[in-house]
PDB file of all heavy atoms in Angstrom:
ATOM      1  N   TYR B 154     -13.457 -20.975  41.333  1.00 97.00           N
ATOM      2  CA  TYR B 154     -12.463 -22.053  41.330  1.00 97.00           C
ATOM      3  C   TYR B 154     -12.481 -22.828  42.647  1.00 97.00           C
ATOM      4  O   TYR B 154     -12.345 -24.055  42.661  1.00 97.00           O
ATOM      5  CB  TYR B 154     -11.063 -21.484  41.049  1.00 97.00           C
ATOM      6  CG  TYR B 154     -10.669 -21.502  39.576  1.00 97.00           C
ATOM      7  CD1 TYR B 154     -11.578 -21.165  38.571  1.00 97.00           C
ATOM      8  CD2 TYR B 154      -9.375 -21.865  39.180  1.00 97.00           C
ATOM      9  CE1 TYR B 154     -11.217 -21.186  37.228  1.00 97.00           C
ATOM     10  CE2 TYR B 154      -9.006 -21.887  37.830  1.00 97.00           C
ATOM     11  CZ  TYR B 154      -9.934 -21.544  36.869  1.00 97.00           C
ATOM     12  OH  TYR B 154      -9.575 -21.570  35.540  1.00 97.00           O
ATOM     13  N   TRP B 159     -11.254 -26.487  41.837  1.00 97.00           N
ATOM     14  CA  TRP B 159     -10.111 -26.339  40.945  1.00 97.00           C
ATOM     15  C   TRP B 159      -8.922 -25.678  41.633  1.00 97.00           C
ATOM     16  O   TRP B 159      -7.837 -25.632  41.073  1.00 97.00           O
ATOM     17  CB  TRP B 159     -10.508 -25.531  39.692  1.00 97.00           C
ATOM     18  CG  TRP B 159     -11.255 -26.342  38.680  1.00 97.00           C
ATOM     19  CD1 TRP B 159     -11.706 -27.618  38.831  1.00 97.00           C
ATOM     20  CD2 TRP B 159     -11.618 -25.938  37.356  1.00 97.00           C
ATOM     21  NE1 TRP B 159     -12.329 -28.040  37.687  1.00 97.00           N
ATOM     22  CE2 TRP B 159     -12.299 -27.033  36.756  1.00 97.00           C
ATOM     23  CE3 TRP B 159     -11.464 -24.766  36.622  1.00 97.00           C
ATOM     24  CZ2 TRP B 159     -12.798 -26.980  35.454  1.00 97.00           C
ATOM     25  CZ3 TRP B 159     -11.958 -24.716  35.327  1.00 97.00           C
ATOM     26  CH2 TRP B 159     -12.616 -25.816  34.746  1.00 97.00           C
ATOM     27  N   VAL B 160      -9.139 -25.148  42.807  1.00 98.00           N
ATOM     28  CA  VAL B 160      -8.051 -24.507  43.537  1.00 98.00           C
ATOM     29  C   VAL B 160      -8.362 -24.601  45.024  1.00 98.00           C
ATOM     30  O   VAL B 160      -9.533 -24.752  45.409  1.00 98.00           O
ATOM     31  CB  VAL B 160      -7.869 -23.041  43.071  1.00 98.00           C
ATOM     32  CG1 VAL B 160      -8.870 -22.107  43.738  1.00 98.00           C
ATOM     33  CG2 VAL B 160      -6.443 -22.545  43.293  1.00 98.00           C
ATOM     34  N   THR B 161      -7.308 -24.533  45.834  1.00 98.00           N
ATOM     35  CA  THR B 161      -7.509 -24.441  47.283  1.00 98.00           C
ATOM     36  C   THR B 161      -6.978 -23.085  47.746  1.00 98.00           C
ATOM     37  O   THR B 161      -6.214 -22.424  47.035  1.00 98.00           O
ATOM     38  CB  THR B 161      -6.744 -25.545  48.034  1.00 98.00           C
ATOM     39  OG1 THR B 161      -5.336 -25.325  47.836  1.00 98.00           O
ATOM     40  CG2 THR B 161      -7.127 -26.933  47.510  1.00 98.00           C
ATOM     41  N   GLU B 164      -3.285 -23.130  47.622  1.00 98.00           N
ATOM     42  CA  GLU B 164      -2.706 -22.978  46.280  1.00 98.00           C
ATOM     43  C   GLU B 164      -2.726 -21.506  45.835  1.00 98.00           C
ATOM     44  O   GLU B 164      -1.778 -21.026  45.221  1.00 98.00           O
ATOM     45  CB  GLU B 164      -3.451 -23.866  45.270  1.00 98.00           C
ATOM     46  CG  GLU B 164      -3.138 -25.352  45.455  1.00 98.00           C
ATOM     47  CD  GLU B 164      -4.089 -26.262  44.689  1.00 98.00           C
ATOM     48  OE1 GLU B 164      -5.095 -25.751  44.120  1.00 98.00           O
ATOM     49  OE2 GLU B 164      -3.829 -27.474  44.661  1.00 98.00           O
ATOM     50  N   LEU B 165      -3.827 -20.828  46.153  1.00 98.00           N
ATOM     51  CA  LEU B 165      -3.865 -19.385  45.864  1.00 98.00           C
ATOM     52  C   LEU B 165      -2.692 -18.705  46.570  1.00 98.00           C
ATOM     53  O   LEU B 165      -1.936 -17.937  45.957  1.00 98.00           O
ATOM     54  CB  LEU B 165      -5.185 -18.775  46.357  1.00 98.00           C
ATOM     55  CG  LEU B 165      -6.440 -19.035  45.522  1.00 98.00           C
ATOM     56  CD1 LEU B 165      -7.684 -18.584  46.280  1.00 98.00           C
ATOM     57  CD2 LEU B 165      -6.351 -18.304  44.177  1.00 98.00           C
ATOM     58  N   ALA B 166      -2.536 -19.009  47.847  1.00 98.00           N
ATOM     59  CA  ALA B 166      -1.472 -18.371  48.631  1.00 98.00           C
ATOM     60  C   ALA B 166      -0.093 -18.723  48.089  1.00 98.00           C
ATOM     61  O   ALA B 166       0.842 -17.902  48.141  1.00 98.00           O
ATOM     62  CB  ALA B 166      -1.589 -18.767  50.099  1.00 98.00           C
ATOM     63  N   VAL B 168       0.968 -18.874  45.174  1.00 98.00           N
ATOM     64  CA  VAL B 168       1.385 -17.931  44.122  1.00 98.00           C
ATOM     65  C   VAL B 168       2.059 -16.719  44.755  1.00 98.00           C
ATOM     66  O   VAL B 168       3.146 -16.284  44.334  1.00 98.00           O
ATOM     67  CB  VAL B 168       0.174 -17.486  43.264  1.00 98.00           C
ATOM     68  CG1 VAL B 168       0.566 -16.354  42.319  1.00 98.00           C
ATOM     69  CG2 VAL B 168      -0.399 -18.676  42.493  1.00 98.00           C
ATOM     70  N   LEU B 279       3.889 -13.382  33.610  1.00 98.00           N
ATOM     71  CA  LEU B 279       2.456 -13.236  33.312  1.00 98.00           C
ATOM     72  C   LEU B 279       1.768 -12.357  34.349  1.00 98.00           C
ATOM     73  O   LEU B 279       2.358 -11.961  35.350  1.00 98.00           O
ATOM     74  CB  LEU B 279       1.797 -14.616  33.185  1.00 98.00           C
ATOM     75  CG  LEU B 279       1.836 -15.589  34.366  1.00 98.00           C
ATOM     76  CD1 LEU B 279       0.947 -15.135  35.510  1.00 98.00           C
ATOM     77  CD2 LEU B 279       1.435 -16.977  33.888  1.00 98.00           C
ATOM     78  N   PHE B 283      -3.578 -10.391  40.778  1.00 97.00           N
ATOM     79  CA  PHE B 283      -4.078 -11.095  41.955  1.00 97.00           C
ATOM     80  C   PHE B 283      -3.660 -12.561  41.793  1.00 97.00           C
ATOM     81  O   PHE B 283      -3.467 -13.021  40.665  1.00 97.00           O
ATOM     82  CB  PHE B 283      -5.606 -10.971  42.055  1.00 97.00           C
ATOM     83  CG  PHE B 283      -6.066  -9.542  42.159  1.00 97.00           C
ATOM     84  CD1 PHE B 283      -6.271  -8.786  41.008  1.00 97.00           C
ATOM     85  CD2 PHE B 283      -6.258  -8.941  43.392  1.00 97.00           C
ATOM     86  CE1 PHE B 283      -6.672  -7.453  41.093  1.00 97.00           C
ATOM     87  CE2 PHE B 283      -6.652  -7.611  43.486  1.00 97.00           C
ATOM     88  CZ  PHE B 283      -6.857  -6.864  42.334  1.00 97.00           C
ATOM     89  N   THR B 284      -3.531 -13.285  42.893  1.00 98.00           N
ATOM     90  CA  THR B 284      -3.035 -14.665  42.800  1.00 98.00           C
ATOM     91  C   THR B 284      -3.825 -15.502  41.806  1.00 98.00           C
ATOM     92  O   THR B 284      -3.243 -16.247  41.009  1.00 98.00           O
ATOM     93  CB  THR B 284      -3.097 -15.338  44.184  1.00 98.00           C
ATOM     94  OG1 THR B 284      -4.405 -15.117  44.743  1.00 98.00           O
ATOM     95  CG2 THR B 284      -2.037 -14.775  45.108  1.00 98.00           C
ATOM     96  N   ILE B 285      -5.152 -15.383  41.842  1.00 98.00           N
ATOM     97  CA  ILE B 285      -5.967 -16.194  40.935  1.00 98.00           C
ATOM     98  C   ILE B 285      -5.642 -15.852  39.481  1.00 98.00           C
ATOM     99  O   ILE B 285      -5.770 -16.712  38.591  1.00 98.00           O
ATOM    100  CB  ILE B 285      -7.485 -15.995  41.232  1.00 98.00           C
ATOM    101  CG1 ILE B 285      -8.353 -16.917  40.358  1.00 98.00           C
ATOM    102  CG2 ILE B 285      -7.902 -14.552  41.030  1.00 98.00           C
ATOM    103  CD1 ILE B 285      -8.224 -18.381  40.671  1.00 98.00           C
ATOM    104  N   GLY B 286      -5.200 -14.633  39.223  1.00 97.00           N
ATOM    105  CA  GLY B 286      -4.831 -14.236  37.862  1.00 97.00           C
ATOM    106  C   GLY B 286      -3.701 -15.095  37.316  1.00 97.00           C
ATOM    107  O   GLY B 286      -3.731 -15.523  36.159  1.00 97.00           O
ATOM    108  N   GLU B 287      -2.694 -15.341  38.148  1.00 98.00           N
ATOM    109  CA  GLU B 287      -1.589 -16.190  37.680  1.00 98.00           C
ATOM    110  C   GLU B 287      -2.090 -17.603  37.369  1.00 98.00           C
ATOM    111  O   GLU B 287      -1.670 -18.218  36.378  1.00 98.00           O
ATOM    112  CB  GLU B 287      -0.466 -16.254  38.721  1.00 98.00           C
ATOM    113  CG  GLU B 287       0.605 -17.269  38.340  1.00 98.00           C
ATOM    114  CD  GLU B 287       1.941 -17.070  39.041  1.00 98.00           C
ATOM    115  OE1 GLU B 287       2.300 -15.905  39.328  1.00 98.00           O
ATOM    116  OE2 GLU B 287       2.635 -18.073  39.288  1.00 98.00           O
ATOM    117  N   ILE B 288      -2.989 -18.087  38.201  1.00 98.00           N
ATOM    118  CA  ILE B 288      -3.483 -19.456  38.015  1.00 98.00           C
ATOM    119  C   ILE B 288      -4.299 -19.569  36.724  1.00 98.00           C
ATOM    120  O   ILE B 288      -4.072 -20.464  35.904  1.00 98.00           O
ATOM    121  CB  ILE B 288      -4.298 -19.884  39.260  1.00 98.00           C
ATOM    122  CG1 ILE B 288      -3.324 -20.069  40.435  1.00 98.00           C
ATOM    123  CG2 ILE B 288      -5.129 -21.125  38.995  1.00 98.00           C
ATOM    124  CD1 ILE B 288      -3.975 -20.210  41.793  1.00 98.00           C
ATOM    125  N   VAL B 289      -5.223 -18.630  36.518  1.00 96.00           N
ATOM    126  CA  VAL B 289      -6.060 -18.682  35.308  1.00 96.00           C
ATOM    127  C   VAL B 289      -5.205 -18.442  34.059  1.00 96.00           C
ATOM    128  O   VAL B 289      -5.355 -19.133  33.043  1.00 96.00           O
ATOM    129  CB  VAL B 289      -7.213 -17.658  35.406  1.00 96.00           C
ATOM    130  CG1 VAL B 289      -7.979 -17.569  34.086  1.00 96.00           C
ATOM    131  CG2 VAL B 289      -8.148 -18.024  36.552  1.00 96.00           C
ATOM    132  N   SER B 290      -4.271 -17.486  34.141  1.00 97.00           N
ATOM    133  CA  SER B 290      -3.426 -17.210  32.975  1.00 97.00           C
ATOM    134  C   SER B 290      -2.541 -18.398  32.638  1.00 97.00           C
ATOM    135  O   SER B 290      -2.333 -18.714  31.465  1.00 97.00           O
ATOM    136  CB  SER B 290      -2.559 -15.968  33.208  1.00 97.00           C
ATOM    137  OG  SER B 290      -3.304 -14.793  32.982  1.00 97.00           O
ATOM    138  N   SER B 291      -1.999 -19.063  33.669  1.00 98.00           N
ATOM    139  CA  SER B 291      -1.112 -20.191  33.369  1.00 98.00           C
ATOM    140  C   SER B 291      -1.898 -21.309  32.684  1.00 98.00           C
ATOM    141  O   SER B 291      -1.361 -22.015  31.828  1.00 98.00           O
ATOM    142  CB  SER B 291      -0.397 -20.678  34.636  1.00 98.00           C
ATOM    143  OG  SER B 291      -1.321 -21.193  35.568  1.00 98.00           O
ATOM    144  N   GLU B 292      -3.170 -21.437  33.019  1.00 98.00           N
ATOM    145  CA  GLU B 292      -4.008 -22.423  32.319  1.00 98.00           C
ATOM    146  C   GLU B 292      -4.291 -21.970  30.881  1.00 98.00           C
ATOM    147  O   GLU B 292      -4.178 -22.752  29.935  1.00 98.00           O
ATOM    148  CB  GLU B 292      -5.319 -22.628  33.081  1.00 98.00           C
ATOM    149  CG  GLU B 292      -5.102 -23.236  34.471  1.00 98.00           C
ATOM    150  CD  GLU B 292      -6.358 -23.228  35.336  1.00 98.00           C
ATOM    151  OE1 GLU B 292      -7.429 -22.785  34.860  1.00 98.00           O
ATOM    152  OE2 GLU B 292      -6.267 -23.666  36.503  1.00 98.00           O
ATOM    153  N   ALA B 293      -4.641 -20.706  30.732  1.00 96.00           N
ATOM    154  CA  ALA B 293      -4.968 -20.195  29.391  1.00 96.00           C
ATOM    155  C   ALA B 293      -3.752 -20.243  28.472  1.00 96.00           C
ATOM    156  O   ALA B 293      -3.877 -20.423  27.259  1.00 96.00           O
ATOM    157  CB  ALA B 293      -5.505 -18.765  29.491  1.00 96.00           C
ATOM    158  N   ALA B 297      -0.703 -25.490  32.126  1.00 97.00           N
ATOM    159  CA  ALA B 297      -1.421 -26.550  32.838  1.00 97.00           C
ATOM    160  C   ALA B 297      -2.802 -26.644  32.209  1.00 97.00           C
ATOM    161  O   ALA B 297      -3.266 -25.682  31.592  1.00 97.00           O
ATOM    162  CB  ALA B 297      -1.552 -26.202  34.328  1.00 97.00           C
ATOM    163  N   GLY B 300      -8.062 -25.933  35.432  1.00 97.00           N
ATOM    164  CA  GLY B 300      -8.318 -26.515  36.739  1.00 97.00           C
ATOM    165  C   GLY B 300      -7.064 -27.010  37.439  1.00 97.00           C
ATOM    166  O   GLY B 300      -7.105 -27.349  38.615  1.00 97.00           O
ATOM    167  N   ALA B 301      -5.941 -27.014  36.721  1.00 98.00           N
ATOM    168  CA  ALA B 301      -4.703 -27.544  37.317  1.00 98.00           C
ATOM    169  C   ALA B 301      -3.666 -26.455  37.571  1.00 98.00           C
ATOM    170  O   ALA B 301      -2.541 -26.743  37.986  1.00 98.00           O
ATOM    171  CB  ALA B 301      -4.102 -28.615  36.407  1.00 98.00           C
ATOM    172  N   GLY B 302      -4.028 -25.213  37.336  1.00 98.00           N
ATOM    173  CA  GLY B 302      -3.078 -24.111  37.515  1.00 98.00           C
ATOM    174  C   GLY B 302      -2.692 -23.904  38.969  1.00 98.00           C
ATOM    175  O   GLY B 302      -1.553 -23.544  39.282  1.00 98.00           O
ATOM    176  N   GLY B 303      -3.625 -24.147  39.878  1.00 97.00           N
ATOM    177  CA  GLY B 303      -3.330 -23.989  41.294  1.00 97.00           C
ATOM    178  C   GLY B 303      -2.344 -25.042  41.765  1.00 97.00           C
ATOM    179  O   GLY B 303      -1.356 -24.738  42.459  1.00 97.00           O
ATOM    180  N   ALA B 304      -2.593 -26.275  41.344  1.00 98.00           N
ATOM    181  CA  ALA B 304      -1.679 -27.365  41.710  1.00 98.00           C
ATOM    182  C   ALA B 304      -0.293 -27.112  41.121  1.00 98.00           C
ATOM    183  O   ALA B 304       0.727 -27.380  41.771  1.00 98.00           O
ATOM    184  CB  ALA B 304      -2.232 -28.698  41.207  1.00 98.00           C
ATOM    185  N   ALA B 306       1.132 -24.220  40.606  1.00 97.00           N
ATOM    186  CA  ALA B 306       1.802 -23.201  41.410  1.00 97.00           C
ATOM    187  C   ALA B 306       2.308 -23.788  42.725  1.00 97.00           C
ATOM    188  O   ALA B 306       3.405 -23.465  43.193  1.00 97.00           O
ATOM    189  CB  ALA B 306       0.854 -22.028  41.679  1.00 97.00           C
TER     190      ALA B 306
END
Side-chain angles (χ1 to χ4, degrees):
Chain B
Y154 267 41
W159 281 7
V160 81
T161 65
E164 288 167 352
L165 284 170
V168 171
L279 59 71
F283 300 86
T284 49
I285 184 68
E287 173 161 328
I288 290 168
V289 173
S290 280
S291 64
E292 296 170 2

